[in-house]
């Protein structure tokens, strides 16, 4: 659990850092949507031009972007290898039993690799340039249209702020419980599967216990401060849509249109 | 104002706070996994989801799980895809339908875990990976099936131990 980082935000002061979280989120979703439609060399080229632009404007280091690839590495290798060995069509370069490497197979494998890189890197840029609290505000703001169907957006937004506030606290608590159990001789992360599961339950139950107690205290304090429900309240943190958001959106929409024109 | 349209009735402040803290636990537990062998990982997020389902019911649990999924993926830098949010909602919903306001019998736990493993983890999540990265569905399915085959019994046992625990049961009564 030591490797845990809460969010992967890296402080900075670039163009992308100062953008509205809502526009950043919408644009990265739009980018993933764009990739779904890219299907030839030219359109993938355009996708990477946009990605490169975003990397430049965010001023994040390539090392951090590459680290983002790690969790999906096995899926990436697996998918690309299957495309390489089972892809059909075009000139056959090599074949053995059902395995064969063909011209078209190699090309589609290359496209899939590019697709992976683009999707993951754009998501990593969003994470690296936006604080968790900003992301939460953005999500809340983007969910607001759901109020039309009486979806309790305010209550859920409150839960989200509580959750973000309590992640570090509960993390510390988990660490303390682990240390306390270690001091009594529990050996975490060793032995067989049965042994490991057995050590986890004495960790989970006190953790839930503590979390529950904290929630009760918070609820009492909130009631005492005049909380009734999520509705009819004002906001202290407001998001402001700036000119840089409009400009970035225009660039993305424009490249989206171009992509539709140049795809097969 | 009623929120009855969706069946999401108003929560007490206490339930709101508990749900918020459980969301925090979902975020924490999703980062922590047990891996007795290098290729196999078992995360404990499902325990927080099950507790949500038991304490506030299927609808609120699925709304909260959806939100945790969105915020979790955005914060950790993994690519966001709506499908996984749907999976998170459906998982919480299934737990809620089977376990909310019911005595946690062994059969209910087993049935809910198997349904979640089959529908959500096996079929839906594989489908999302296929849609998103064009990984062939039938090539991915056996590997993921094997993983579910090992993890589902372990999950059943863990949920059973936790739900039978008297402290956890008392917490539920305090809500």
């Amino acid at each position: 659990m030591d490797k845990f980082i809460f969010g992967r935000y890296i402080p900075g002061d670039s163009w992308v850092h100062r953008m509205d979280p809502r526009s950043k989120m919408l644009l990265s979703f739009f980018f993933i949507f764009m990739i779904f439609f890219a299907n030839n060399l030219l359109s993938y080229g355009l996708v990477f031009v946009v990605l490169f632009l975003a990397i430049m404007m965010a001023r994040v280091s390539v090392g951090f972007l590459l680290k983002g690839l790690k969790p999906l590495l096995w899926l990436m290798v697996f998918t690309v290898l299957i495309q390489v060995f089972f892809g059909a069509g075009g000139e056959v370069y090599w074949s053995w039993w059902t395995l064969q490497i063909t011209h078209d197979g190699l090309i589609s494998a290359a496209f899939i690799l590019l697709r992976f890189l683009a999707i993951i890197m754009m998501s990593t840029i969003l994470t690296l340039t936006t604080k968790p609290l900003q992301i939460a505000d953005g999500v809340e703001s983007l969910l607001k249209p759901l109020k039309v169907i009486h979806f309790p957006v305010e209550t859920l937004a409150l839960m989200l702020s509580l959750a973000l506030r309590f992640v570090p606290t509960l993390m510390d608590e988990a660490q303390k419980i682990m240390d306390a159990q270690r001091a009594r001789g529990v050996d975490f992360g060793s032995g067989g599967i049965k042994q490991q599961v057995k050590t986890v339950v004495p960790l989970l139950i006190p953790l839930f216990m503590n979390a529950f107690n904290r929630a009760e205290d918070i609820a009492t304090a909130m009631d005492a401060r005049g909380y009734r429900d999520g509705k009819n309240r004002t906001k202290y943190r407001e998001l402001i849509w700036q000119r840089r958001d409009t400009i970035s959106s225009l660039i993305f929409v424009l490249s989206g249109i171009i992509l539709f024109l140049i795809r097969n | 104002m009623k929120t009855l349209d969706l069946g999401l009735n108003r929560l007490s402040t206490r339930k709101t706070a508990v749900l918020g803290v459980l969301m925090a636990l979902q975020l924490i537990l999703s980062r922590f996994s047990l891996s007795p062998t290098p290729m196999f990982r078992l995360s404990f997020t499902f325990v927080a989801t099950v507790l949500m389902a038991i304490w506030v019911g299927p609808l609120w649990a699925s709304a909260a799980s959806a939100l945790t999924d969105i915020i979790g993926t955005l914060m950790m830098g993994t690519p966001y895809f709506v499908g996984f949010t749907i999976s998170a909602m459906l998982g919480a919903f299934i737990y809620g339908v089977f376990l909310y306001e019911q005595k946690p019998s062994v059969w209910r736990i087993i049935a809910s875990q198997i349904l979640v493993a089959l529908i959500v983890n096996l079929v839906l999540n594989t489908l999302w990976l296929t849609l998103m990265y064009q990984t062939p569905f039938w090539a991915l399915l056996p590997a993921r099936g094997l993983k579910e085959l090992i993890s589902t019994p372990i999950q059943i046992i863990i949920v059973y131990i936790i739900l039978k625990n008297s402290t956890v049961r008392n917490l539920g009564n305090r809500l």
Side-chain angles (χ1 to χ4, degrees):
Chain A
M1 225 187 271
D2 321 321
K3 280 179 289 177
F4 181 89
I5 336 157
F6 176 59
R8 298 175 51 230
Y9 171 72
I10 295 169
D13 190 31
S14 66
W15 169 283
V16 180
H17 275 89
R18 273 188 262 147
M19 273 169 70
D20 190 310
R22 285 172 297 182
S23 66
K24 272 189 269 191
M25 275 155 57
L26 286 177
L27 291 185
S28 52
F29 298 157
F30 181 77
F31 184 76
I32 292 177
F33 184 71
M34 251 168 79
I35 295 170
F36 279 129
F37 287 97
N39 60 0
N40 57 11
L41 201 57
L42 212 57
S43 50
Y44 269 104
L46 178 72
V47 162
F48 271 84
V49 168
V50 176
L51 179 68
F52 188 69
L53 195 71
I55 295 175
M56 294 308 286
M57 297 311 273
R59 279 195 252 145
V60 290
S61 79
V62 182
F64 279 114
L65 289 178
L66 292 179
K67 256 186 220 160
L69 297 175
K70 233 175 116 191
L72 287 166
L73 200 62
W74 80 265
L75 188 68
M76 204 151 90
V77 173
F78 181 74
T79 311
V80 170
L81 282 183
I82 282 189
Q83 281 299 329
V84 167
F85 287 112
F86 292 97
E91 196 184 330
V92 178
Y93 297 128
W94 177 85
S95 79
W96 176 76
W97 197 38
T98 52
L99 303 180
Q100 56 173 6
I101 298 179
T102 63
H103 178 75
D104 291 6
L106 283 181
I107 287 188
S108 64
F111 279 159
I112 284 175
L113 186 65
L114 291 178
R115 187 184 165 112
F116 258 104
L117 289 177
I119 292 180
I120 298 172
M121 281 188 173
M122 192 51 104
S123 322
T124 314
I125 292 176
L126 172 70
T127 313
L128 293 180
T129 59
T130 321
K131 289 179 193 151
L133 205 61
Q134 281 183 321
I135 294 182
D137 284 341
V139 169
E140 181 195 348
S141 174
L142 292 178
L143 285 180
K144 264 188 192 144
L146 288 178
K147 269 189 205 166
V148 179
I149 54 166
H150 295 298
F151 189 74
V153 176
E154 294 94 346
T155 313
L156 281 165
L158 177 78
M159 284 174 197
L160 194 56
S161 335
L162 277 173
L164 289 183
R165 162 65 187 79
F166 274 101
V167 166
T169 317
L170 291 177
M171 206 56 218
D172 284 351
E173 219 134 77
Q175 204 65 53
K176 273 184 198 152
I177 297 169
M178 270 178 105
D179 288 344
Q181 304 276 30
R182 268 202 200 99
R184 299 187 185 106
V186 177
D187 194 4
F188 291 105
S190 71
I193 196 157
K194 198 176 158 196
Q195 199 56 43
Q196 290 203 20
V197 169
K198 261 189 188 165
T199 60
V200 166
V201 175
L203 194 75
L204 287 177
I205 289 176
L207 192 61
F208 283 116
M209 210 31 217
N210 282 352
F212 197 97
N213 288 337
R214 277 184 180 277
E216 275 193 324
D217 292 348
I218 280 285
T220 315
M222 274 163 62
D223 279 335
R225 281 167 169 255
Y227 174 82
R228 290 177 57 82
D229 62 22
K231 293 191 192 71
N232 310 319
R233 298 170 66 206
T234 53
K235 269 182 79 70
Y236 177 65
R237 287 194 311 269
E238 301 246 20
L239 297 175
I240 306 158
W241 187 278
Q242 298 152 303
R243 200 188 319 145
R244 66 175 73 232
D245 298 303
T246 317
I247 295 173
S248 317
S249 309
L250 282 178
I251 294 174
F252 270 70
V253 170
L254 199 69
S255 44
I257 294 171
I258 297 175
L259 186 114
F260 261 90
L261 293 177
I262 61 177
R263 72 189 285 266
N264 291 346
Chain B
M1 285 297 280
K2 281 188 221 163
T3 50
L4 287 175
D5 303 44
L6 267 175
L8 287 165
N9 41 0
R10 215 178 83 79
L11 283 188
S12 62
T13 316
R14 183 179 284 217
K15 279 192 177 175
T16 311
V18 167
L19 211 42
V21 173
L22 282 176
M23 279 167 71
L25 282 176
Q26 273 186 333
L27 287 172
I28 292 175
L29 292 174
S30 69
R31 306 304 301 161
F32 167 62
S33 61
L34 213 65
S35 52
T37 54
M39 281 308 283
F40 176 75
R41 315 189 128 262
L42 180 69
S43 140
F44 293 94
T45 324
F46 67 95
V47 185
T49 315
V50 167
L51 287 181
M52 275 184 185
I54 287 175
W55 286 340
V56 294
L59 288 170
W60 274 106
S62 46
S65 301
L67 214 52
T68 316
D69 176 75
I70 297 174
I71 201 85
T73 39
L74 291 183
M75 268 173 11
M76 299 312 164
T78 33
Y80 178 74
F81 187 69
V82 193
F84 293 107
T85 311
I86 296 173
S87 292
M89 286 176 76
L90 197 63
F93 190 80
I94 293 174
Y95 287 134
V97 167
F98 276 88
L99 302 169
Y100 182 52
E101 286 179 343
Q102 305 282 350
K103 273 218 158 78
S105 72
V106 187
W107 293 113
R108 283 182 178 279
I109 295 172
I110 292 178
S112 60
Q113 283 290 355
I114 288 179
L115 268 184
V116 170
L118 276 181
I119 301 177
V120 179
N121 297 349
L122 199 55
V123 177
L124 280 182
N125 284 351
T126 311
L127 184 67
W128 306 140
L129 287 177
T130 305
L131 288 179
M132 204 169 172
Y133 302 116
Q134 299 180 338
T135 309
F137 183 85
W138 294 109
L140 205 56
L141 204 64
R144 295 177 63 88
L146 191 67
K147 184 196 167 276
E148 290 304 319
L149 213 60
I150 305 170
S151 57
T152 310
I154 302 176
Q155 295 194 353
I156 292 172
I157 294 167
I158 291 174
V159 170
Y160 182 77
I161 296 174
I162 285 177
L163 296 193
K164 283 287 169 188
N165 186 285
S166 56
T167 0
V168 175
R169 279 226 296 264
N170 287 339
L171 292 182
N173 296 336
R174 262 153 65 185
L175 269 173

